Amino acid sequence: MCLGVPARIIAIADAARMLAVADILGERREVNLSCIVEPGEALSGQVGQWVLVHLGFALSRVEEADARITLDLLRQVDEAEAGRGHLKASLLA
């Protein structure tokens, strides 16, 4: 199953390679922004934005409210499976 996970862009890691640092469930990961920005577009405008991340790529922008609802639902599923922390580990692997 493929899953896009909401993440918040917190910094630009390497503008030349279109890499940002995103917070995903409290973990920081490098995320490629090439699918959501135009070539030559300043990446600084992406900081603070919410995106859906799949396989290290930000695939689309999402509204913060929608991202938080999705994250809450993912946490509820994790708790229902009695795997507290398992979800986070599997999404970030």
Coordinates of all heavy atoms in Angstrom, one line a residue:
M1 N 0.8 -1.2 0.0 CA 0.0 0.0 0.0 C 0.9 1.2 0.0 O 1.9 1.3 0.7 CB -0.9 0.0 1.3 CG -1.7 1.3 1.4 SD -2.8 1.2 2.8 CE -1.8 1.4 4.2
C2 N 0.5 2.2 -0.8 CA 1.3 3.5 -0.9 C 0.5 4.5 0.0 O -0.7 4.5 0.0 CB 1.3 4.0 -2.3 SG 2.2 2.9 -3.4
L3 N 1.3 5.3 0.7 CA 0.7 6.2 1.6 C 1.5 7.5 1.6 O 2.7 7.6 1.7 CB 0.7 5.7 3.0 CG 0.1 6.5 4.2 CD1 -1.4 6.7 3.9 CD2 0.4 5.8 5.5
G4 N 0.8 8.6 1.3 CA 1.4 10.0 1.4 C 1.2 10.5 2.8 O 0.0 10.4 3.3
V5 N 2.2 10.9 3.5 CA 2.2 11.3 4.9 C 2.3 12.8 5.0 O 3.2 13.4 4.4 CB 3.3 10.6 5.7 CG1 3.2 11.1 7.2 CG2 3.2 9.1 5.6
P6 N 1.4 13.5 5.7 CA 1.6 15.0 5.8 C 2.8 15.3 6.6 O 3.2 14.7 7.6 CB 0.3 15.4 6.7 CG -0.6 14.2 6.5 CD 0.2 13.0 6.3
A7 N 3.5 16.4 6.1 CA 4.7 16.9 6.7 C 4.7 18.4 6.6 O 4.2 18.9 5.6 CB 5.9 16.2 6.1
R8 N 5.4 19.0 7.5 CA 5.6 20.5 7.5 C 7.0 20.8 7.1 O 7.9 20.3 7.7 CB 5.2 21.1 8.8 CG 5.2 22.6 8.8 CD 4.7 23.1 10.1 NE 4.9 24.5 10.2 CZ 6.0 25.1 10.8 NH1 6.9 24.3 11.4 NH2 6.2 26.4 10.8
I9 N 7.2 21.6 6.1 CA 8.5 22.1 5.7 C 9.1 23.0 6.7 O 8.4 24.0 7.0 CB 8.5 22.7 4.3 CG1 7.9 21.8 3.2 CG2 9.9 23.2 3.9 CD1 8.6 20.5 3.0
I10 N 10.2 22.7 7.3 CA 10.8 23.6 8.3 C 12.1 24.3 7.9 O 12.4 25.3 8.6 CB 11.0 22.8 9.6 CG1 11.9 21.6 9.4 CG2 9.7 22.4 10.2 CD1 12.3 20.9 10.7
A11 N 12.7 23.9 6.9 CA 13.9 24.6 6.4 C 14.3 24.1 5.0 O 13.8 23.0 4.6 CB 15.1 24.3 7.4
I12 N 15.1 24.8 4.4 CA 15.7 24.4 3.1 C 17.1 23.9 3.3 O 17.9 24.5 3.9 CB 15.8 25.6 2.1 CG1 14.4 26.2 1.9 CG2 16.4 25.2 0.8 CD1 13.3 25.2 1.4
A13 N 17.3 22.6 2.9 CA 18.6 22.0 3.1 C 19.6 22.2 2.0 O 20.8 22.5 2.3 CB 18.4 20.5 3.3
D14 N 19.1 22.2 0.8 CA 20.0 22.3 -0.4 C 19.1 22.8 -1.6 O 18.5 22.0 -2.2 CB 20.7 21.0 -0.7 CG 21.7 21.1 -1.8 OD1 21.7 22.1 -2.6 OD2 22.5 20.2 -2.0
A15 N 19.1 24.1 -1.8 CA 18.3 24.7 -2.8 C 18.7 24.2 -4.2 O 17.8 24.0 -5.0 CB 18.4 26.2 -2.8
A16 N 19.9 24.0 -4.4 CA 20.4 23.5 -5.8 C 19.8 22.2 -6.1 O 19.5 21.9 -7.3 CB 21.9 23.5 -5.9
R17 N 19.6 21.3 -5.1 CA 19.1 20.0 -5.3 C 17.6 19.9 -4.9 O 17.0 18.8 -5.0 CB 19.9 19.0 -4.5 CG 21.3 18.9 -4.9 CD 22.2 17.9 -4.1 NE 21.6 16.7 -3.8 CZ 21.7 16.0 -2.7 NH1 22.5 16.5 -1.7 NH2 21.1 14.8 -2.5
M18 N 17.0 21.1 -4.6 CA 15.6 21.2 -4.3 C 15.2 20.3 -3.1 O 14.2 19.7 -3.0 CB 14.7 20.8 -5.5 CG 15.0 21.8 -6.6 SD 13.8 21.6 -8.0 CE 12.6 22.7 -7.5
L19 N 16.1 20.3 -2.1 CA 15.9 19.5 -0.9 C 15.5 20.4 0.3 O 16.1 21.5 0.5 CB 17.1 18.7 -0.5 CG 17.5 17.6 -1.5 CD1 18.8 17.0 -1.0 CD2 16.4 16.6 -1.6
A20 N 14.5 20.0 1.0 CA 14.1 20.7 2.2 C 14.1 19.7 3.4 O 14.2 18.5 3.2 CB 12.7 21.2 2.1
V21 N 14.0 20.3 4.6 CA 13.9 19.5 5.8 C 12.4 19.6 6.2 O 11.9 20.7 6.3 CB 14.8 20.0 7.0 CG1 14.6 19.2 8.2 CG2 16.3 20.0 6.5
A22 N 11.8 18.4 6.5 CA 10.4 18.4 6.8 C 10.3 17.7 8.2 O 11.0 16.8 8.5 CB 9.6 17.7 5.8
D23 N 9.3 18.1 8.9 CA 8.9 17.5 10.2 C 7.8 16.5 9.8 O 6.7 16.9 9.4 CB 8.4 18.5 11.2 CG 8.1 17.8 12.5 OD1 7.0 17.2 12.5 OD2 8.8 18.0 13.5
I24 N 8.1 15.2 10.1 CA 7.1 14.1 9.8 C 6.9 13.4 11.2 O 7.8 12.7 11.6 CB 7.5 13.2 8.7 CG1 7.8 13.9 7.4 CG2 6.5 12.1 8.5 CD1 8.4 13.0 6.4
L25 N 5.8 13.6 11.8 CA 5.5 13.0 13.1 C 6.6 13.2 14.1 O 7.0 12.3 14.8 CB 5.2 11.5 12.9 CG 4.0 11.1 12.0 CD1 4.1 9.6 11.7 CD2 2.7 11.5 12.7
G26 N 7.1 14.4 14.1 CA 8.2 14.7 15.1 C 9.6 14.4 14.7 O 10.5 14.7 15.4
E27 N 9.8 13.7 13.5 CA 11.1 13.4 13.0 C 11.4 14.3 11.9 O 10.6 14.7 11.1 CB 11.1 11.9 12.5 CG 10.8 10.9 13.6 CD 12.0 10.7 14.5 OE1 13.1 10.9 14.1 OE2 11.7 10.4 15.7
R28 N 12.7 14.6 11.7 CA 13.1 15.5 10.6 C 13.7 14.6 9.5 O 14.5 13.7 9.8 CB 14.2 16.5 11.1 CG 13.5 17.5 12.0 CD 14.5 18.5 12.5 NE 13.8 19.5 13.4 CZ 14.2 20.7 13.6 NH1 15.4 21.1 13.2 NH2 13.5 21.5 14.4
R29 N 13.2 14.9 8.3 CA 13.7 14.1 7.1 C 13.9 15.1 6.0 O 13.2 16.1 5.9 CB 12.6 13.1 6.7 CG 12.3 12.1 7.7 CD 13.4 11.0 7.7 NE 13.1 9.9 8.6 CZ 13.9 9.5 9.5 NH1 15.0 10.0 9.7 NH2 13.5 8.4 10.2
E30 N 14.9 14.7 5.1 CA 15.0 15.5 3.9 C 13.9 15.1 2.9 O 13.6 13.9 2.8 CB 16.4 15.2 3.3 CG 17.5 16.0 3.8 CD 18.8 16.0 3.0 OE1 18.9 15.3 2.0 OE2 19.7 16.8 3.4
V31 N 13.4 16.1 2.2 CA 12.3 15.9 1.3 C 12.6 16.6 0.0 O 13.1 17.8 0.1 CB 11.0 16.4 1.9 CG1 9.9 16.3 0.9 CG2 10.6 15.6 3.1
N32 N 12.4 16.0 -1.1 CA 12.7 16.6 -2.4 C 11.4 17.4 -2.8 O 10.3 16.9 -2.8 CB 13.0 15.6 -3.4 CG 13.4 16.2 -4.8 OD1 12.7 16.9 -5.4 ND2 14.7 15.9 -5.1
L33 N 11.6 18.7 -3.2 CA 10.5 19.6 -3.5 C 10.2 19.7 -5.0 O 9.4 20.5 -5.4 CB 10.7 20.9 -2.9 CG 10.9 21.0 -1.4 CD1 11.1 22.5 -1.0 CD2 9.6 20.5 -0.7
S34 N 11.0 18.9 -5.8 CA 10.9 19.1 -7.3 C 9.5 18.9 -7.9 O 9.2 19.4 -9.0 CB 11.9 18.3 -8.0 OG 11.7 16.9 -7.8
C35 N 8.7 18.2 -7.2 CA 7.3 17.9 -7.8 C 6.3 19.0 -7.5 O 5.2 19.0 -8.1 CB 6.8 16.6 -7.2 SG 7.7 15.1 -7.7
I36 N 6.7 19.9 -6.6 CA 5.7 21.0 -6.2 C 6.2 22.4 -6.5 O 5.4 23.3 -6.3 CB 5.3 20.9 -4.7 CG1 6.5 21.1 -3.8 CG2 4.6 19.5 -4.4 CD1 6.1 21.3 -2.3
V37 N 7.4 22.6 -6.9 CA 7.9 23.9 -7.3 C 8.4 24.0 -8.7 O 8.8 22.9 -9.3 CB 9.0 24.4 -6.3 CG1 8.5 24.6 -4.9 CG2 10.2 23.5 -6.4
E38 N 8.3 25.1 -9.3 CA 8.7 25.3 -10.7 C 10.2 25.5 -10.7 O 10.8 26.1 -9.7 CB 8.1 26.6 -11.3 CG 6.6 26.4 -11.4 CD 6.2 25.3 -12.4 OE1 6.8 25.2 -13.4 OE2 5.2 24.6 -12.1
P39 N 10.9 25.1 -11.7 CA 12.4 25.4 -11.8 C 12.6 26.9 -11.7 O 12.0 27.7 -12.3 CB 12.7 24.8 -13.2 CG 11.7 23.8 -13.5 CD 10.4 24.4 -12.9
G40 N 13.6 27.2 -10.9 CA 14.0 28.6 -10.7 C 13.1 29.3 -9.6 O 13.5 30.4 -9.2
E41 N 12.1 28.7 -9.1 CA 11.2 29.3 -8.1 C 12.0 29.3 -6.8 O 12.7 28.3 -6.4 CB 9.9 28.5 -7.9 CG 9.0 29.0 -6.9 CD 7.7 28.2 -6.8 OE1 7.4 27.4 -7.7 OE2 7.0 28.3 -5.8
A42 N 11.9 30.4 -6.0 CA 12.6 30.4 -4.7 C 12.0 29.4 -3.7 O 10.7 29.4 -3.6 CB 12.5 31.8 -4.1
L43 N 12.8 28.6 -3.1 CA 12.3 27.6 -2.2 C 11.9 28.2 -0.8 O 11.2 27.5 -0.1 CB 13.3 26.5 -2.0 CG 13.7 25.7 -3.3 CD1 14.6 24.6 -3.0 CD2 12.4 25.2 -4.0
S44 N 12.4 29.3 -0.5 CA 12.2 29.9 0.8 C 10.7 30.0 1.1 O 10.2 30.0 2.2 CB 12.9 31.2 1.0 OG 12.4 32.1 0.0
G45 N 9.9 30.2 0.1 CA 8.4 30.4 0.2 C 7.7 29.1 0.7 O 6.6 29.1 1.1
Q46 N 8.5 28.0 0.6 CA 7.9 26.7 1.0 C 8.0 26.4 2.5 O 7.3 25.6 3.0 CB 8.6 25.5 0.2 CG 8.5 25.7 -1.3 CD 7.1 25.8 -1.8 OE1 6.2 25.0 -1.4 NE2 6.8 26.8 -2.6
V47 N 8.9 27.1 3.2 CA 9.0 26.9 4.6 C 7.7 27.3 5.3 O 7.1 28.3 5.1 CB 10.2 27.8 5.2 CG1 10.3 27.7 6.7 CG2 11.5 27.3 4.5
G48 N 7.3 26.4 6.2 CA 6.0 26.5 6.9 C 4.8 25.9 6.2 O 3.8 25.7 6.8
Q49 N 5.0 25.5 4.9 CA 3.9 24.9 4.2 C 3.8 23.4 4.6 O 4.8 22.7 5.0 CB 4.2 24.9 2.7 CG 4.3 26.3 2.1 CD 2.9 27.0 2.2 OE1 1.9 26.4 1.8 NE2 2.9 28.2 2.7
W50 N 2.6 22.9 4.4 CA 2.3 21.5 4.6 C 2.2 20.8 3.3 O 1.7 21.3 2.3 CB 1.0 21.3 5.3 CG 1.1 21.6 6.8 CD1 1.0 22.9 7.4 CD2 1.3 20.7 7.9 NE1 1.1 22.8 8.7 CE2 1.4 21.5 9.1 CE3 1.5 19.4 7.9 CZ2 1.6 20.9 10.3 CZ3 1.8 18.8 9.2 CH2 1.8 19.6 10.4
V51 N 2.8 19.6 3.2 CA 2.9 18.8 2.0 C 2.6 17.3 2.3 O 2.7 16.9 3.4 CB 4.3 18.9 1.3 CG1 4.6 20.3 0.8 CG2 5.4 18.4 2.2
L52 N 2.2 16.6 1.2 CA 2.1 15.1 1.4 C 3.4 14.5 0.8 O 3.8 14.8 -0.3 CB 1.0 14.6 0.5 CG -0.4 14.7 1.1 CD1 -1.5 14.1 0.2 CD2 -0.5 14.1 2.5
V53 N 4.0 13.7 1.6 CA 5.3 13.1 1.3 C 5.2 11.6 1.0 O 4.5 10.9 1.8 CB 6.4 13.3 2.4 CG1 7.7 12.6 2.1 CG2 6.6 14.8 2.7
H54 N 5.8 11.1 -0.1 CA 5.8 9.7 -0.4 C 7.2 9.4 -0.9 O 7.6 10.1 -1.9 CB 4.7 9.4 -1.4 CG 4.7 7.9 -1.8 ND1 4.5 6.9 -1.0 CD2 5.0 7.4 -3.0 CE1 4.6 5.8 -1.6 NE2 4.9 6.0 -2.9
L55 N 7.9 8.5 -0.4 CA 9.2 8.0 -0.8 C 10.2 9.2 -0.9 O 11.0 9.3 -1.8 CB 9.1 7.3 -2.1 CG 8.4 6.0 -2.1 CD1 8.2 5.5 -3.6 CD2 9.0 5.0 -1.2
G56 N 10.1 10.2 0.1 CA 11.0 11.3 0.1 C 10.7 12.4 -0.8 O 11.5 13.4 -0.9
F57 N 9.6 12.4 -1.5 CA 9.2 13.5 -2.4 C 7.9 14.1 -1.9 O 6.9 13.4 -1.5 CB 8.9 12.9 -3.8 CG 10.2 12.6 -4.6 CD1 10.8 11.4 -4.4 CD2 10.7 13.5 -5.4 CE1 11.9 11.1 -5.1 CE2 11.9 13.2 -6.1 CZ 12.5 12.0 -6.0
A58 N 7.9 15.4 -1.9 CA 6.7 16.2 -1.6 C 5.9 16.1 -2.9 O 6.3 16.7 -3.9 CB 7.0 17.6 -1.2
L59 N 4.7 15.5 -2.8 CA 3.9 15.3 -4.0 C 2.9 16.4 -4.3 O 2.5 16.6 -5.4 CB 3.2 13.9 -4.0 CG 4.2 12.7 -4.0 CD1 3.4 11.4 -3.9 CD2 5.1 12.7 -5.2
S60 N 2.4 17.0 -3.2 CA 1.4 18.0 -3.3 C 1.4 18.8 -2.0 O 1.8 18.4 -1.0 CB 0.0 17.5 -3.6 OG -0.4 16.7 -2.5
R61 N 0.9 20.0 -2.1 CA 0.7 20.9 -1.0 C -0.7 20.6 -0.4 O -1.6 20.2 -1.1 CB 0.7 22.4 -1.3 CG 2.1 22.8 -1.8 CD 2.0 24.3 -2.2 NE 3.3 24.7 -2.8 CZ 3.5 24.7 -4.1 NH1 2.6 24.4 -4.9 NH2 4.7 25.1 -4.5
V62 N -0.8 20.7 0.9 CA -2.1 20.4 1.6 C -2.3 21.5 2.6 O -1.4 22.2 3.1 CB -2.2 19.0 2.3 CG1 -2.2 17.9 1.3 CG2 -1.1 18.9 3.3
E63 N -3.6 21.7 3.0 CA -3.9 22.7 4.0 C -3.6 22.1 5.4 O -3.7 20.9 5.6 CB -5.4 23.0 4.0 CG -5.9 23.7 2.7 CD -5.3 25.1 2.6 OE1 -5.2 25.8 3.6 OE2 -5.0 25.5 1.4
E64 N -3.1 23.0 6.3 CA -2.7 22.6 7.6 C -3.8 21.8 8.3 O -3.6 20.8 8.9 CB -2.3 23.8 8.5 CG -1.9 23.4 9.8 CD -1.4 24.5 10.7 OE1 -1.4 25.7 10.2 OE2 -1.0 24.3 11.8
A65 N -5.1 22.3 8.2 CA -6.2 21.6 8.9 C -6.3 20.2 8.4 O -6.5 19.2 9.2 CB -7.5 22.4 8.7
D66 N -6.2 20.0 7.1 CA -6.4 18.6 6.5 C -5.2 17.7 7.0 O -5.4 16.6 7.2 CB -6.4 18.7 5.0 CG -7.7 19.4 4.5 OD1 -8.7 19.3 5.2 OD2 -7.6 20.0 3.4
A67 N -4.0 18.3 7.0 CA -2.8 17.6 7.4 C -3.0 17.1 8.9 O -2.7 15.9 9.2 CB -1.6 18.4 7.3
R68 N -3.4 18.0 9.7 CA -3.6 17.6 11.1 C -4.7 16.6 11.3 O -4.5 15.7 12.2 CB -3.9 18.9 12.0 CG -2.7 19.8 12.0 CD -2.8 20.9 13.1 NE -1.7 21.8 13.0 CZ -0.6 21.6 13.6 NH1 -0.3 20.5 14.2 NH2 0.4 22.5 13.5
I69 N -5.8 16.6 10.6 CA -6.8 15.6 10.6 C -6.2 14.3 10.2 O -6.5 13.2 10.9 CB -8.0 16.0 9.8 CG1 -8.8 17.2 10.4 CG2 -8.9 14.8 9.5 CD1 -9.8 17.8 9.5
T70 N -5.5 14.2 9.1 CA -4.9 13.0 8.7 C -3.9 12.4 9.7 O -3.9 11.2 10.0 CB -4.2 13.2 7.3 OG1 -5.1 13.7 6.4 CG2 -3.6 11.9 6.8
L71 N -3.1 13.3 10.3 CA -2.1 12.8 11.3 C -2.8 12.2 12.5 O -2.4 11.2 13.0 CB -1.2 13.9 11.7 CG -0.1 14.3 10.6 CD1 0.6 15.6 11.0 CD2 0.8 13.2 10.3
D72 N -3.9 12.9 12.9 CA -4.7 12.4 14.0 C -5.3 11.0 13.7 O -5.3 10.1 14.5 CB -5.8 13.4 14.4 CG -6.5 13.0 15.6 OD1 -5.9 12.7 16.7 OD2 -7.8 13.0 15.6
L73 N -5.8 10.9 12.5 CA -6.4 9.6 12.1 C -5.3 8.5 12.1 O -5.6 7.3 12.5 CB -7.1 9.7 10.8 CG -8.4 10.5 10.7 CD1 -8.8 10.7 9.3 CD2 -9.5 9.8 11.5
L74 N -4.1 8.8 11.6 CA -3.0 7.8 11.6 C -2.6 7.4 13.0 O -2.4 6.3 13.3 CB -1.8 8.4 10.8 CG -2.0 8.5 9.3 CD1 -0.8 9.3 8.8 CD2 -2.1 7.2 8.7
R75 N -2.6 8.4 13.9 CA -2.3 8.1 15.3 C -3.4 7.2 15.9 O -3.1 6.3 16.7 CB -2.2 9.4 16.1 CG -0.9 10.1 15.9 CD -0.8 11.3 16.8 NE 0.3 12.1 16.4 CZ 0.2 13.3 15.7 NH1 -1.0 13.7 15.4 NH2 1.2 14.0 15.3
Q76 N -4.7 7.4 15.6 CA -5.8 6.6 16.1 C -5.6 5.2 15.6 O -5.9 4.2 16.4 CB -7.1 7.2 15.7 CG -7.4 8.5 16.4 CD -8.8 9.0 16.0 OE1 -9.7 8.3 15.7 NE2 -8.8 10.4 15.9
V77 N -5.3 5.0 14.3 CA -5.1 3.7 13.8 C -4.0 3.0 14.5 O -4.1 1.8 14.9 CB -4.8 3.7 12.3 CG1 -4.3 2.4 11.8 CG2 -6.1 4.2 11.5
D78 N -2.9 3.7 14.8 CA -1.7 3.1 15.5 C -2.1 2.7 16.9 O -1.8 1.6 17.3 CB -0.6 4.1 15.5 CG 0.7 3.5 16.0 OD1 1.0 2.4 15.7 OD2 1.4 4.2 16.8
E79 N -2.9 3.5 17.6 CA -3.3 3.1 18.9 C -4.3 1.9 18.9 O -4.2 1.1 19.8 CB -4.0 4.3 19.6 CG -2.9 5.4 19.9 CD -3.6 6.7 20.4 OE1 -4.8 6.7 20.6 OE2 -2.9 7.7 20.6
A80 N -5.1 1.9 17.9 CA -6.1 0.8 17.8 C -5.4 -0.5 17.6 O -5.8 -1.6 18.0 CB -7.1 1.0 16.7
E81 N -4.2 -0.5 16.9 CA -3.4 -1.7 16.6 C -2.5 -2.0 17.8 O -1.7 -3.0 17.7 CB -2.6 -1.5 15.4 CG -3.5 -1.1 14.2 CD -3.4 -2.2 13.1 OE1 -2.5 -3.0 13.1 OE2 -4.4 -2.2 12.3
A82 N -2.6 -1.2 18.9 CA -1.7 -1.4 20.1 C -0.3 -1.5 19.7 O 0.5 -2.1 20.3 CB -2.1 -2.7 20.8
G83 N 0.1 -0.7 18.7 CA 1.5 -0.7 18.2 C 2.1 0.7 18.5 O 2.9 1.2 17.7
R84 N 1.8 1.3 19.5 CA 2.2 2.7 19.8 C 3.7 2.8 19.4 O 4.6 2.2 19.9 CB 2.1 2.9 21.3 CG 2.1 4.4 21.7 CD 1.0 4.6 22.7 NE 0.9 5.9 23.2 CZ 0.3 6.9 22.5 NH1 -0.3 6.6 21.4 NH2 0.2 8.1 23.0
G85 N 3.9 3.7 18.4 CA 5.2 3.9 17.9 C 5.5 3.1 16.6 O 6.4 3.5 15.9
H86 N 4.8 2.1 16.4 CA 5.0 1.2 15.2 C 4.7 2.0 14.0 O 5.5 1.9 13.0 CB 4.1 0.0 15.3 CG 4.2 -0.9 14.1 ND1 5.3 -1.6 13.7 CD2 3.3 -1.0 13.1 CE1 5.0 -2.2 12.6 NE2 3.8 -1.9 12.2
L87 N 3.7 2.8 14.0 CA 3.3 3.5 12.8 C 4.4 4.5 12.4 O 4.8 4.5 11.3 CB 2.0 4.3 13.1 CG 1.6 5.3 12.0 CD1 1.1 4.5 10.8 CD2 0.5 6.2 12.5
K88 N 4.9 5.2 13.4 CA 6.0 6.2 13.1 C 7.2 5.5 12.5 O 7.7 6.0 11.5 CB 6.3 6.9 14.4 CG 7.3 8.0 14.2 CD 7.4 8.7 15.6 CE 8.4 9.8 15.6 NZ 8.6 10.4 16.9
A89 N 7.6 4.4 13.1 CA 8.7 3.7 12.5 C 8.5 3.2 11.1 O 9.3 3.2 10.3 CB 9.0 2.5 13.5
S90 N 7.3 2.7 10.8 CA 7.0 2.1 9.5 C 6.9 3.2 8.5 O 7.3 3.1 7.3 CB 5.8 1.3 9.5 OG 4.6 2.1 9.8
L91 N 6.4 4.4 8.8 CA 6.2 5.5 7.9 C 7.5 6.1 7.5 O 7.7 6.7 6.5 CB 5.3 6.6 8.4 CG 3.8 6.1 8.5 CD1 3.0 7.2 9.2 CD2 3.2 5.8 7.2
L92 N 8.5 6.1 8.5 CA 9.7 6.8 8.3 C 10.8 5.8 7.8 O 12.0 6.3 7.6 CB 10.1 7.5 9.6 CG 9.2 8.6 10.0 CD1 9.6 9.1 11.4 CD2 9.1 9.7 9.0
A93 N 10.5 4.6 7.6 CA 11.6 3.6 7.2 C 12.0 3.9 5.8 O 11.3 4.4 5.0 CB 11.0 2.2 7.4

